[in-house]
Amino acid sequence: METAVQKSAEVAKFLKELNIKDINYGASTGLQHFETKGARLDSYSPVDGSLIGSVNCATEGDYQAVMKTATEAFKVWRNIPAPKRGEIVRQMGEQFRKYKEPLGQLVSYEMGKSLQEGLGEVQEIIDICDFAVGLSRQLYGLTMHSERPQHRMYEQWHALGVVGIISAFNFPVAVWSWNSMIAWVCGDVCIWKPSSKTPLCGVACQNIIAEVLRNNNVPEGVSCLVTGNAMGDLINNDHRIPLVSFTGSTRIGRKVSSVVAGRFGKTILELGGNNAIIVSEHADLNMVLVGAVFGAVGTAGQRCTSTRRLIVHESVYDKTLDVLKKAYAQLSIGNPLDKNNHVGPLIDKGAVNDYLNAIEQAKAQGGKMIVEGGVQQVKGYEGGCYVKPCIIEAQNAYAIVQQETFAPILYVMKYKTIEEAIDMQNNVPQGLSSSIFTNSMREMELFLSVNGSDCGIANVNIGTSGAEIGGAFGGEKETGGGRESGSDAWKAYMRRQTNTINYGSQLPLAQGIKFDI
């Protein structure tokens, strides 16, 4: 059993490596930190309830100073050739390789996810840096044929400006990188408001890239950070910010969308998910076990791609539940920094209450407990945020099943035909991730067809979580409709311009119009 002294020493070690100690700033423009005078924001670990550190929230005056620096930096940064911007991002990737272990530990300790997942999140930063480096030489536009003689038409993409990034606690560093690394190679500058539940992860990232910014004489203001909940409203209402990328709940996302659209700004919204796995009668149940259990309990169910619903063919329903019950009985709940544990804590007591309320609502609406839930006491880690992953037999139409509860609750239900299963999968307000486990080619193709999943992500024989950075990430319906990370998601961070060049000596008009003077 790890003693309190050993635990404290381990935490102190990785905080020291990340240059995190007493922090008196809540705003930064890269290398310059503002000694802010806003309210103190304490960060408590859900692992053991300990105070990790504190920051001073940025004030509106701090925000205005940061934005002034950012807008000036954009004028310089956009004129640096894209491959050179990519080289700077490459060096950032090297820094994150160097600090992968301590940053992964901080992510695990401040957010509560397992150490493996914390390290995996830092690996996502490294991967998106590599992707962005290649992208910096591939910001392509099209060439079109003109209907007019001796004319050439083409399109090009220009940097958009200051990109606002508002990230959530569950992926405290990865989502920032999905946006910032792509935005930077596109020529944008970024202002980041990390979650107020995980502010130290934001500070750590600024510390990690500081050396790269300094060594490359990057203009002050290319990478900005502001802390405190009030900063979100300032970013959303700021006409100087043409694009806001928001990750969070559908409820808050609806407000962000309205405010930003009201000023004709653009948004990338990554909101709620209510993701389902369809388990076919033709499925390999050994694969289902891994996909469903990790999808449901990974990050203690606090991923937007977590598996919330398991839609199982009636012929394999009982067998699937037996397999799941045995797997759940073997789950180890405890300190996420211990690699032997599968499930860490929820983020805070509020999340625990939401989890408990959801279970009671499911029971009241007719749900049957297959694997019991409840608060889990973990000796030596009495933060009060550990809960038991549970399984509830339910109907898709239950009001609680239609909602997203950010906790390890898995609803299971039966189906008879593949068409019925797909209808159940789609019949929720959210549309982020979906999956089918089957060895039937017909079912695979139907699931991926226009008559299949209505989600932004549709997988076959893998779970709903664990998206790779090479593909565009995002969903439909109340998930928001935005895309970030890979594929051509970079276009969201740039403005398209269509150009026509007349290299002849006449000026013919389009559509055959004659205008003689």
Side-chain angles (χ1 to χ4, degrees):
M1 179 70 182
E2 182 184 45
T3 68
V5 173
Q6 289 171 326
K7 181 175 61 181
S8 177
E10 181 183 11
V11 172
K13 182 176 181 292
F14 63 72
L15 291 177
K16 182 178 180 181
E17 287 185 65
L18 294 167
N19 194 27
I20 293 178
K21 36 193 175 182
D22 290 331
I23 302 161
N24 59 355
Y25 70 86
S28 169
T29 53
L31 296 177
Q32 181 183 355
H33 304 317
F34 292 73
E35 293 189 5
T36 52
K37 296 181 180 180
R40 198 74 168 161
L41 177 61
D42 296 327
S43 179
Y44 290 92
S45 172
V47 173
D48 54 16
S50 296
L51 176 65
I52 311 172
S54 305
V55 300
N56 282 350
C57 295
T59 64
E60 185 171 355
D62 299 325
Y63 174 83
Q64 297 300 339
V66 168
M67 275 300 299
K68 181 179 180 181
T69 304
T71 53
E72 291 301 313
F74 173 62
K75 297 174 184 178
V76 178
W77 183 248
R78 67 186 177 185
N79 285 304
I80 296 173
K84 290 188 177 181
R85 297 194 296 258
E87 166 58 19
I88 292 169
V89 168
R90 185 196 68 77
Q91 293 177 33
M92 290 181 183
E94 291 303 308
Q95 284 291 94
F96 283 106
R97 284 182 172 88
K98 179 179 175 181
Y99 288 97
K100 179 178 178 178
E101 188 71 26
L103 182 58
Q105 290 174 313
L106 176 61
V107 168
S108 177
Y109 190 60
E110 188 174 34
M111 184 268 148
K113 64 177 59 177
S114 73
L115 180 56
Q116 292 186 66
E117 292 179 84
L119 295 171
E121 185 168 345
V122 182
Q123 186 61 48
E124 287 193 45
I125 302 179
I126 296 166
D127 292 343
I128 201 67
C129 286
D130 289 347
F131 180 89
V133 173
L135 179 64
S136 69
R137 295 179 182 271
Q138 300 179 78
L139 303 174
Y140 298 138
L142 298 174
T143 297
M144 292 80 75
H145 289 279
S146 173
E147 66 185 53
R148 290 167 286 185
Q150 296 187 309
H151 282 60
R152 181 168 70 88
M153 292 178 63
Y154 69 98
E155 66 180 22
Q156 58 182 334
W157 296 82
H158 293 305
L160 201 56
V162 181
V163 173
I165 303 169
I166 303 174
S167 61
F169 74 87
N170 60 327
F171 279 85
V173 297
V175 173
W176 160 75
S177 71
W178 292 356
N179 287 274
S180 60
M181 302 305 170
I182 302 298
W184 283 331
V185 298
C186 289
D188 302 319
V189 302
C190 299
I191 180 168
W192 177 25
K193 189 204 86 65
S195 169
S196 293
K197 297 181 179 181
T198 52
L200 300 184
C201 285
V203 171
C205 288
Q206 284 287 88
N207 290 347
I208 288 170
I209 65 174
E211 183 179 344
V212 174
L213 299 176
R214 183 183 302 107
N215 292 345
N216 289 276
N217 295 315
V218 172
E220 194 73 39
V222 168
S223 176
C224 297
L225 179 141
V226 288
T227 58
N229 288 332
M231 297 299 103
D233 287 340
L234 292 174
I235 289 172
N236 294 330
N237 284 282
D238 199 327
H239 288 260
R240 295 167 293 182
I241 299 179
L243 173 67
V244 175
S245 176
F246 171 81
T247 303
S249 70
T250 296
R251 180 179 63 85
I252 301 299
R254 188 173 280 112
K255 295 179 181 178
V256 172
S257 176
S258 177
V259 170
V260 178
R263 60 175 177 83
F264 295 104
K266 300 177 182 180
T267 54
I268 298 173
L269 301 175
E270 299 293 354
L271 311 177
N274 196 347
N275 317 294
I277 293 176
I278 296 173
V279 181
S280 163
E281 60 188 309
H282 307 293
D284 181 334
L285 292 188
N286 290 324
M287 295 176 68
V288 171
L289 177 65
V290 177
V293 175
F294 176 73
V297 310
T299 323
Q302 297 173 112
R303 292 184 179 218
C304 51
T305 55
S306 290
T307 304
R308 310 287 177 200
R309 298 173 293 143
L310 203 63
I311 304 170
V312 187
H313 191 270
E314 59 183 4
S315 67
V316 294
Y317 185 78
D318 291 339
K319 186 175 181 180
T320 300
L321 289 192
D322 287 342
V323 169
L324 287 174
K325 285 189 285 187
K326 290 177 183 177
Y328 270 56
Q330 298 174 41
L331 291 174
S332 179
I333 304 169
N335 176 14
L337 292 172
D338 182 344
K339 293 183 179 180
N340 293 315
N341 290 326
H342 302 100
V343 184
L346 293 177
I347 185 66
D348 55 26
K349 297 287 184 61
V352 174
N353 289 334
D354 290 343
Y355 158 85
L356 295 173
N357 290 335
I359 292 175
E360 291 308 309
Q361 289 184 51
K363 290 179 179 178
Q365 292 163 25
K368 175 186 175 184
M369 298 303 300
I370 303 300
V371 174
E372 290 290 339
V375 174
Q376 175 75 41
Q377 298 300 325
V378 180
K379 188 175 181 181
Y381 296 88
E382 285 81 13
C385 295
Y386 293 89
V387 300
K388 301 173 184 177
C390 66
I391 301 176
I392 305 174
E393 188 175 61
Q395 297 296 319
N396 201 59
Y398 290 174
I400 190 62
V401 176
Q402 292 285 308
Q403 302 171 20
E404 178 189 46
T405 302
F406 235 44
I409 301 174
L410 179 64
Y411 300 108
V412 294
M413 55 204 74
K414 296 178 185 177
Y415 78 90
K416 292 183 178 181
T417 68
I418 184 62
E419 291 79 9
E420 178 190 8
I422 292 172
D423 285 344
M424 291 169 67
Q425 132 71 37
N426 292 342
N427 194 19
V428 292
Q430 309 84 0
L432 179 53
S433 187
S434 58
S435 170
I436 185 171
F437 278 81
T438 182
N439 288 327
S440 165
M441 183 66 73
R442 173 183 175 272
E443 290 182 339
M444 292 181 192
E445 292 296 338
L446 178 62
F447 182 73
L448 299 176
S449 75
V450 69
N451 299 310
S453 170
D454 64 358
C455 294
I457 299 170
N459 298 328
V460 175
N461 291 331
I462 63 171
T464 59
S465 61
E468 296 183 31
I469 58 90
F473 182 89
E476 302 298 330
K477 301 189 292 187
E478 289 190 3
T479 298
R483 295 295 185 274
E484 56 194 7
S485 192
S487 186
D488 65 348
W490 61 269
K491 292 179 179 179
Y493 304 90
M494 304 192 81
R495 58 182 178 88
R496 185 196 308 252
Q497 185 180 79
T498 301
N499 308 117
T500 305
I501 298 173
N502 177 1
Y503 57 89
S505 58
Q506 303 296 318
L507 184 56
L509 302 178
Q511 295 88 44
I513 294 173
K514 301 296 183 183
F515 186 70
D516 297 324
I517 56 174

